Amino acid sequence: MSPLEGSCLCGGVRFEMTEPFLATSHCHCEYCKRIAGGYGTVSGRARTEAIRVLEGEELLRSYTPGEGSAKTFCSVCGSNLFGGGWPQSEMSSVRLSSFGLEYERKPEAHTFVRSVAAWEILPEDGLPRYDERAT
Ligand SMILES: [Zn+2]
Ligand SMILES: [Zn+2]
């Protein structure tokens, strides 16, 4: 099986995953809404070591909000790629949007639902919901 490969919108950054995700989830926190321009982010959780940047490492920029972990994006196209403190943290999150429309693994939980916005519609999809991170 070839490793799962992800990229940003402009294609300047390419990376691959050397291990399957340990979990996947929606994050509805306010930071994720702001960086994503929508309901939040949808990510897979993996060991930081399992993320191998193949191209465009110099294009990556990180921003660490006040109480959150670092979020990393492509400085050319703005695509949000990694969170959870990448690359310093032991575990990171990887945005599922990086893998294109064919990627099939579904999110398995809603996290930070305490930060659902007044305009936001939380789907009745039967997934577990957590006020903060999943336990
Ligand atoms: Zn880009
Ligand atoms: Zn979040």
Side-chain angles (χ1 to χ4, degrees), residues 51-93:
I51 305 167
R52 193 184 311 153
V53 177
L54 303 171
E55 227 178 280
E57 187 140 26
E58 73 284 358
L59 303 178
L60 293 171
R61 297 289 180 281
S62 296
Y63 175 74
T64 307
E67 288 160 22
S69 53
K71 324 283 184 212
T72 298
F73 55 94
C74 171
S75 58
V76 175
C77 67
S79 297
N80 188 240
L81 298 170
F82 311 129
W86 183 92
Q88 262 99 35
S89 56
E90 193 183 327
M91 302 289 292
S92 295
S93 45

Side-chain angles (χ1 to χ4, degrees), residues 3 18 26 30 32 36 39 44 60 70 72 75 80 94 98 100 113 120 134:
T18 60
H26 297 269
E30 182 175 358
C32 283
Y39 292 143
L60 293 171
T72 298
S75 58
N80 188 240
V94 179
S98 315
V113 296
E120 184 175 357

Side-chain angles (χ1 to χ4, degrees), residues 3-8 13-17 54 81 94 98-100:
L4 178 61
E5 200 177 304
S7 64
C8 63
V13 179
R14 290 193 314 114
F15 66 94
E16 67 179 15
M17 299 302 305
L54 303 171
L81 298 170
V94 179
S98 315
F99 302 120

Side-chain angles (χ1 to χ4, degrees), residues 27-33 41 71 95 111-112:
C27 183
H28 297 269
C29 82
E30 182 175 358
Y31 300 144
C32 283
K33 284 192 212 342
T41 54
K71 324 283 184 212
R95 310 308 180 206
T111 64
F112 286 88

